Amino acid sequence: MYFRFAFALGAIFCVLSAAGMRPPAPAIAVGGQPARFLSQYDWTLDANWFGGFSGIEVTEDGKSFSTITDQSHFVRGAFIRNGDKIIGVNIDEEFALLDTDGLPIHGNRSDAEGLAFAPDGRIYVSFEMLHRVFVFDQANGVPDWAAHHLDFDKFIKNGSLEALAVDGEGRLYTLPETVRDQGRDFPVYRHQREGGGQFWDQPFTIPQQGRFAPVGADFGPDGRFYLLERDVYPFGFRSRIRVFQIDGDTISGGLIALETPLGRHGNLEGLSVWRDAAGHIRLTMIADDNFLPVQSTQIVEYVLKE
């Protein structure tokens, strides 16, 4: 829900593209890891909670998914596929997330953005208006706070904790969408549990490259850290995925695995990385329509050949 006016103009641009006035350009494959476009499904539903999807997690077999909206609504469903293409969605369950008092989250506190599942079954959700992370034992249960880092209090409202990912050892990683000093690297925060307690540290940064800002993240089945970034223009969106290797307190790499031209897709904010039956890495993304009628909820999928 960032730069809403620009998003609305961008959505109009995308609608014109879809109508044939400007056909979308193909994605750019760079850095020796070509990304091949598989499908884009425009998901619609006549329900007052529907829209604003900002985080997504896909099961290991690629059949089912979980997603959240930026009004703190949680949805589980299954993809309908025709070969490699997503052609529909079935919803299994949907409900409002609860706060630590057991009440539905509402108002400015409800801006849920990041979603990540831990190996032990815990579910993490990050919020960017009131900067915090909740941890749920089950999605429809009462959460706990995932500790707090003092830096979170300095973040810009509507521009903080969108990207959220858990590694194979259960460590949680997040970073702000925006930083106050233009050109400054993005600080990465890591949440760990140890000796019955929990804490955050800030082991490294990710360099800014161009106008892109981090909005989604996931650890792939290859153990690498995939970062979804978005660039906003008055007449559309661009998306990029960079791939990093994290080793202890260091990060390396930054290969650009996917970069889309202006208007190719909508406002992609959620990313889930999984491996298909052929052994290839799939990148499944979801677009936030900001509850605007001129934007759409898109589920977009690419494949990386290793």
Side-chain angles (χ1 to χ4, degrees):
M1 297 174 63
Y2 193 49
F3 297 134
R4 182 170 291 223
F5 178 68
F7 282 3
L9 292 176
I12 294 171
F13 174 86
C14 293
V15 168
L16 294 177
S17 295
M21 298 184 67
R22 177 177 176 179
I28 301 169
V30 246
Q33 248 193 338
R36 180 168 62 89
F37 173 72
L38 293 178
S39 66
Q40 174 179 299
Y41 174 69
D42 288 352
W43 185 17
T44 60
L45 186 69
D46 185 15
N48 58 8
W49 56 263
F50 184 84
F53 293 98
S54 300
I56 188 169
E57 283 284 322
V58 176
T59 54
E60 291 183 0
D61 59 8
K63 294 180 179 180
S64 302
F65 69 94
S66 299
T67 182
I68 53 167
T69 78
D70 50 27
Q71 290 186 359
S72 287
H73 214 84
F74 186 93
V75 181
R76 278 198 178 101
F79 298 123
I80 303 171
R81 295 182 180 272
N82 182 5
D84 281 338
K85 296 184 181 297
I86 297 172
I87 60 170
V89 167
N90 284 327
I91 294 178
D92 296 325
E93 61 176 339
E94 50 82 13
F95 48 83
L97 292 173
L98 303 179
D99 61 20
T100 53
D101 295 322
L103 302 173
I105 308 173
H106 65 277
N108 284 342
R109 295 174 175 266
S110 68
D111 194 5
E113 295 287 344
L115 176 67
F117 287 7
D120 63 4
R122 288 188 174 100
I123 299 171
Y124 291 93
V125 177
S126 63
F127 300 81
E128 74 164 357
M129 288 297 286
L130 178 60
H131 319 301
R132 68 202 191 280
V133 177
F134 279 172
V135 54
F136 297 81
D137 289 330
Q138 54 186 14
N140 60 355
V142 177
D144 290 322
W145 288 76
H148 191 72
H149 195 289
L150 292 178
D151 286 0
F152 294 176
D153 298 329
K154 306 172 187 176
F155 289 159
I156 298 170
K157 282 190 175 181
N158 214 19
S160 63
L161 303 177
E162 289 209 17
L164 198 66
V166 178
D167 68 13
E169 297 183 26
R171 294 171 297 202
L172 179 71
Y173 293 79
T174 189
L175 65 162
E177 178 188 358
T178 57
V179 288
R180 292 189 180 276
D181 299 326
Q182 183 67 26
R184 181 188 165 199
D185 293 347
F186 296 102
V188 177
Y189 298 87
R190 177 177 58 194
H191 178 268
Q192 302 182 71
R193 296 177 181 274
E194 188 176 287
Q198 54 175 315
F199 65 94
W200 289 94
D201 62 356
Q202 196 265 295
F204 46 76
T205 62
I206 289 179
Q208 285 199 37
Q209 285 187 3
R211 294 163 38 103
F212 287 93
V215 291
D218 197 14
F219 281 89
D222 54 5
R224 295 183 295 178
F225 180 73
Y226 290 75
L227 182 66
L228 171 63
E229 299 171 294
R230 176 190 60 209
D231 189 6
V232 182
Y233 286 82
F235 296 102
F237 306 91
R238 298 169 62 211
S239 297
R240 181 176 72 186
I241 293 178
R242 284 193 284 170
V243 187
F244 298 88
Q245 187 70 43
I246 295 176
D247 184 12
D249 292 345
T250 63
I251 189 169
S252 59
L255 171 83
I256 299 175
L258 171 67
E259 187 174 315
T260 64
L262 184 63
R264 180 64 180 91
H265 302 298
N267 178 31
L268 297 178
E269 286 196 359
L271 169 68
S272 187
V273 185
W274 54 283
R275 193 184 301 278
D276 64 22
H280 299 146
I281 296 290
R282 294 278 188 108
L283 310 171
T284 304
M285 291 164 279
I286 195 165
D288 179 359
D289 69 353
N290 292 289
F291 292 96
L292 294 173
V294 293
Q295 289 186 253
S296 61
T297 297
Q298 301 170 352
I299 301 175
V300 177
E301 204 160 79
Y302 283 81
V303 62
L304 295 181
K305 289 192 175 181
E306 294 178 282

